[in-house]
Amino acid sequence: MLAEIIIIGDEILIGQVVDTNSAFIGKELNKIGISVYQITSIQDERVHMLNAFKEASERVDVVIITGGLGPTKDDITKHTLCEFFNDELVENEQVLAHVEELFAKYISNTPISDINRMQALVPSKAEVLHNANGTAPGMLIRQGNVTFISMPGVPFEMKHLMTKSVIPKLTAYYKRPHIIHRTVVTYGMGESAIAKKIEAWEDALPKNIKLAYLPNLGKVRLRLSGKGVNYSELATAMDAEIGKLYPLIKDIVFGLEDDQSIEELVAKMLTDKSLSLSTAESFTGGKIAEKITSIPGASKYFKGSVVSYATETKINVLKVPVKLVEDYSVVSAEVAVAMAKGAKKLMKTDFAIATTGNAGPTKGDSKADVGTVFIAIDGPTSQIVQKFQMGSTRERVVEKSVNKAFELLQKEILKM
């Protein structure tokens, strides 16, 4: 069973807004066995929209549209849907009452206008999907075997409609296969090297199970995707294939991404062992701390971070000896270790991570080549520091280093 996602809005096409809606919708559809065949981004332009609707209706079972439902003249989705379905707009009393309630409750300083009331106009053939978080309702129109669903482009409004209204209705309308994804995360080996290592296993995969390589900065994810009528049989087959895969990559495998990210795993390990953590970050600029604090409950183990971007901050706050900087430069193993020790002492933690490196585009205070990175871990009984060459692109250097820091920390915690 197939779906197409159509994202409407010039702001998407010019890069002013990043399309996160498609990713969310795609994941939710996959959970109920609907595969996304295509994602299309188009302008707020009538002919373009009509063509997109027609083409999508000829190749998929479900067409999901987001955007273009605002009250202003540039939002024409409802009018274009009426033209496509040979329909007309009618006022929906429930939507109008909801719009008036929202203005009275939350926008009392701005009188409701006729433009706002126009949000209650919907195609007569549409089933209205209540939007509890906004004034633009969702709309569902069925034509033959194809279901069209239109939702506002505001992400939090769309997500609520998708989970509370759209998914239940699609589940009721269609008999769907089961789709299962399992994503194995690896660190420390490139995509082509892994492919060679597991070639025989990959060639022997059942026809209904596919493998995809998803290389990222510092890691490669191996995603197994299976489709079948019987969920239990499919899950058993997927688990069996993963069981065959693990021994082939045991030296680089981290685990299943579906369960936990590496930072979530580290958080659990620190919490279970009642250990504390601090960070001292230079070129990573607080990215490690950001990932840690995005996990609920981080205050149980994370004490804080020093973003010692400038050399004087390393010296004045983390107490890195001036002589170390003079003798070895700020991008060195010696300074990385001193930073970790300084953070650990300052915040009285069991572990401290430190990063220092040259992410580019220029060398700054160091003679080290762009991409040179040192990561140090100072633990309860030992310290480690490793040197890496992370490439020449600034974003790549930072992201790979953040991933590597968590990988190194996990290995140090496991030693305890």
Side-chain angles (χ1 to χ4, degrees):
M1 184 174 178
L2 300 176
E4 181 162 336
I5 302 168
I6 299 176
I7 306 297
I8 298 173
D10 295 346
E11 66 276 11
I12 298 291
L13 297 173
I14 66 174
Q16 189 175 32
V17 174
V18 177
D19 172 26
T20 58
N21 286 349
S22 295
F24 180 84
I25 294 169
K27 286 181 181 178
E28 294 302 305
L29 292 175
N30 253 259
K31 289 177 184 177
I32 61 169
I34 300 177
S35 300
V36 176
Y37 177 78
Q38 183 166 309
I39 298 172
T40 306
S41 294
I42 61 175
Q43 295 176 327
D44 289 287
E45 197 276 320
R46 171 183 155 274
V47 174
H48 198 171
M49 291 165 67
L50 289 171
N51 289 336
F53 297 165
K54 180 178 183 297
E55 291 168 6
S57 69
E58 293 171 351
R59 58 190 171 217
V60 298
D61 308 287
V62 178
V63 181
I64 294 187
I65 304 160
T66 70
L69 295 181
T72 53
K73 291 181 180 179
D74 61 321
D75 290 311
I76 61 171
T77 298
K78 287 192 293 187
H79 296 280
T80 310
L81 283 171
C82 281
E83 183 174 352
F84 183 75
F85 289 107
N86 191 25
D87 200 0
E88 62 180 356
L89 293 174
V90 297
E91 184 175 274
N92 184 285
E93 293 181 2
Q94 287 76 25
V95 175
L96 180 59
H98 175 62
V99 172
E100 290 177 337
E101 180 186 0
L102 287 179
F103 267 81
K105 199 170 185 179
Y106 300 110
I107 323 174
S108 56
N109 60 332
T110 303
I112 188 170
S113 68
D114 289 340
I115 292 178
N116 300 124
R117 291 189 178 92
M118 288 175 64
Q119 291 288 67
L121 295 176
V122 298
S124 68
K125 296 177 181 178
E127 177 183 351
V128 172
L129 307 178
H130 177 59
N131 178 7
N133 297 321
T135 60
M139 296 169 290
L140 185 151
I141 306 174
R142 300 197 74 186
Q143 180 171 276
N145 295 322
V146 182
T147 301
F148 276 76
I149 295 165
S150 177
M151 295 183 288
V154 180
F156 77 91
E157 294 182 27
M158 177 279 298
K159 289 178 181 179
H160 182 82
L161 277 165
M162 191 72 191
T163 54
K164 298 299 182 182
S165 297
V166 175
I167 293 300
K169 288 187 179 297
L170 293 177
T171 303
Y173 288 160
Y174 296 102
K175 185 177 181 180
R176 298 144 286 107
H178 295 284
I179 299 173
I180 298 176
H181 299 291
R182 297 278 191 271
T183 304
V184 178
V185 183
T186 69
Y187 285 88
M189 184 176 288
E191 176 185 7
S192 57
I194 295 175
K196 185 175 181 181
K197 201 176 181 74
I198 64 174
E199 183 177 6
W201 169 84
E202 182 179 358
D203 290 341
L205 283 172
K207 290 184 178 180
N208 65 327
I209 298 178
K210 306 297 182 184
L211 174 68
Y213 294 83
L214 307 172
N216 202 341
L217 301 175
K219 64 182 179 182
V220 176
R221 294 176 293 164
L222 306 174
R223 188 192 67 223
L224 281 170
S225 298
K227 184 182 290 188
V229 176
N230 187 298
Y231 182 87
S232 179
E233 290 179 1
L234 180 59
T236 299
M238 294 281 283
D239 292 340
E241 293 304 324
I242 289 175
K244 297 174 189 176
L245 172 64
Y246 268 42
L248 303 176
I249 55 172
K250 60 184 177 180
D251 53 334
I252 59 171
V253 69
F254 160 68
L256 284 175
E257 183 180 70
D258 310 350
D259 297 331
Q260 290 178 311
S261 65
I262 191 167
E263 54 266 27
E264 288 172 328
L265 179 60
V266 165
K268 186 177 186 304
M269 294 169 71
L270 290 169
T271 302
D272 290 348
K273 294 177 180 289
S274 298
L275 297 169
S276 56
L277 174 67
S278 58
T279 63
E281 302 187 54
S282 183
F283 71 97
T284 49
K287 295 284 187 183
I288 297 173
E290 180 185 5
K291 286 204 169 188
I292 293 169
T293 54
S294 69
I295 301 169
S299 59
K300 293 178 182 177
Y301 58 89
F302 186 61
K303 302 306 178 186
S305 177
V306 175
V307 181
S308 53
Y309 207 72
T311 301
E312 54 266 30
T313 307
K314 296 178 179 67
I315 295 169
N316 296 332
V317 178
L318 295 173
K319 307 304 179 186
V320 174
V322 175
K323 185 166 176 51
L324 281 184
V325 176
E326 292 174 346
D327 290 349
Y328 300 102
S329 92
V330 288
V331 180
S332 63
E334 290 78 8
V335 168
V337 170
M339 288 171 62
K341 287 182 177 180
K344 182 183 172 185
K345 183 177 180 180
L346 178 66
M347 286 175 252
K348 299 179 174 61
T349 56
D350 299 298
F351 281 97
I353 302 172
T355 61
T356 182
N358 189 348
T362 61
K363 290 188 174 183
D365 293 341
S366 171
K367 296 179 181 179
D369 291 335
V370 171
T372 302
V373 167
F374 289 90
I375 302 174
I377 309 288
D378 191 5
T381 58
S382 62
Q383 298 81 36
I384 66 160
V385 61
Q386 291 191 22
K387 178 181 180 180
F388 303 95
Q389 175 49 245
M390 297 298 193
S392 58
T393 304
R394 184 177 182 82
E395 184 181 72
R396 176 184 176 88
V397 172
V398 172
E399 192 62 30
K400 285 185 71 174
S401 300
V402 170
N403 289 336
K404 180 60 70 173
F406 281 112
E407 178 190 347
L408 294 178
L409 177 60
Q410 181 205 10
K411 290 177 180 177
E412 289 305 299
I413 298 172
L414 286 172
K415 293 178 183 177
M416 297 191 63

